[in-house]
C-alpha cells in the first residue's frame, strides 16, 4: 500500500515531535502493510510552513534511522498538505506550492467551517493548468453533500481518512466516511497519521474496508489509485 497523506517527518508540524516518534510511526505503518509513504507536512498561513530544504533534511534523517532499523519502508520526497488560505492563494498565483514528487498532483485541505466559494470552478482551472487537485478528508466538510462531491470528483481526487472508517472519528464522521466510500464517491483512502497512537484506529479502519468491500477494493483504494493520483491521473470511480 502507498500512503499519500501522512504527517510522518519529525519536528516539522503537529506530527512526530522527534526522530524516535517518527520511527515508531513509520514502523507501525509498515507493520500495517504500507510499503511507501509520501509525507505531507502541513502548509498553513500563520502556523506550519516548512521549506523544501527543511522537509528534505527531516526525510534524510528518518531514512537513515529506518535503514539502521532494517526497515524496507520507502519514504518518498515530501509533498505538503496545503490549506486553502492566503498562503496557498499567493503561492498559487506564482505556481509555487508543494506538490507530489511528480509535480502532477497536489494535496489540499479546506477550511472546515466554510467551503470556499466557486471551489469547483477554481479546482477545474488548476486541473486544466496541468495539476490534479487532491482533497484530503472530505468526510469533514458537511457542506459537500453527495451531489457536490460527485461534481467535484469529476476533476478532483477525493480522499477519506482510513482512521475515520475505523475507531478514530466520532459516530457521525465514521458514518459519513463509510457512506461516501460505499457510495463509490471516493478515489482513495489515506492515513493522515500523526503519531503511533493513531495506529489502532487505522487498524480498525482497514479491517472495516476489507470486511465490507473486499480485499480487491481495499487494495484499489490504498495502492492502485494512490499511485495513479500521484502520477496526475484521476482514477475512474465504480459508477463511471
Ligand atoms: Fe493531514
Amino acid at each position: 500500500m502507498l500512503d499519500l497523506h501522512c504527517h510522518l517527518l519529525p519536528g516539522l508540524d503537529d506530527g512526530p515531535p522527534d526522530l524516535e516518534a517518527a520511527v515508531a510511526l513509520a514502523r507501525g505503518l509498515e507493520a500495517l502493510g504500507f510499503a511507501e509513504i509520501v509525507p505531507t507536512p502541513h502548509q498553513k498561513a500563520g502556523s506550519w510552513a516548512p521549506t523544501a530544504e527543511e522537509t528534505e533534511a527531516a526525510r534524510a534523517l528518518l531514512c537513515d534511522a529506518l535503514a539502521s532499523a532494517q526497515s524496507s519502508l520507502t519514504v518518498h520526497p515530501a509533498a505538503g498538505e496545503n490549506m486553502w488560505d492566503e498562503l496557498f492563494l499567493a503561492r498559487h498565483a506564482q505556481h509555487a506550492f508543494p506538490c507530489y514528487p511528480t509535480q502532477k498532483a497536489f494535496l489540499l485541505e479546506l477550511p472546515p467551517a466554510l467551503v470556499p466559494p466557486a471551489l469547483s470552478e477554481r479546482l477545474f482551472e488548476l486541473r486544466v493548468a496541468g495539476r490534479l487537485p487532491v482533497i484530503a478528508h472530505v468526510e469533514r466538510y458537511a457542506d459537500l453533500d453527495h451531489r457536490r462531491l460527485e461534481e467535484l470528483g469529476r476533476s478532483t481526487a477525493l480522499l477519506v481518512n482510513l482512521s475515520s472508517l475505523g475507531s478514530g472519528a466520532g459516530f457521525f464522521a465514521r458514518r459519513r466516511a463509510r457512506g461516501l466510500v460505499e457510495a463509490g464517491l471516493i478515489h482513495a483512502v489515506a492515513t493522515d497519521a500523526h503519531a503511533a497512537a493513531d495506529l489502532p484506529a487505522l487498524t480498525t479502519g482497514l479491517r472495516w474496508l476489507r470486511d465490507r468491500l473486499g480485499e480487491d477494493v481495499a487494495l484499489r483504494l490504498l495502492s492502485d489509485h494512490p499511485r495513479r493520483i500521484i502520477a496526475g491521473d484521476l482514477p475512474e470511480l465504480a459508477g463511471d
Side-chain angles (χ1 to χ4, degrees), residues 1-2 4 187-188 216-231 233 235-236:
M1 299 189 291
L2 183 153
L4 75 178
H187 295 88
D216 286 356
V217 173
L219 275 180
R220 195 181 309 147
L221 293 173
L222 282 156
S223 179
D224 174 40
H225 284 191
R227 287 168 214 283
R228 289 174 59 183
I229 288 168
I230 286 173
D233 179 18
E236 67 284 356

Side-chain angles (χ1 to χ4, degrees), residues 5 7 42 81 192 194:
H5 179 186
H7 301 266
H42 285 291
E81 182 176 14
D192 194 13
H194 286 69

Side-chain angles (χ1 to χ4, degrees), residues 5-7 13-14 40-42 81 107 109 136-137 140 161 192-194:
H5 179 186
C6 186
H7 301 266
D13 61 0
D14 55 349
T40 52
H42 285 291
E81 182 176 14
L107 183 65
E109 65 172 324
H137 38 62
R140 289 188 191 169
N161 283 355
D192 194 13
H194 286 69

Side-chain angles (χ1 to χ4, degrees), residues 82-92 97 106 108:
N82 300 284
M83 173 60 88
W84 185 284
D85 60 15
E86 61 267 32
L87 177 64
F88 173 72
L89 294 174
R91 288 170 161 180
H92 171 217
F97 48 86
F106 62 97
L108 261 180

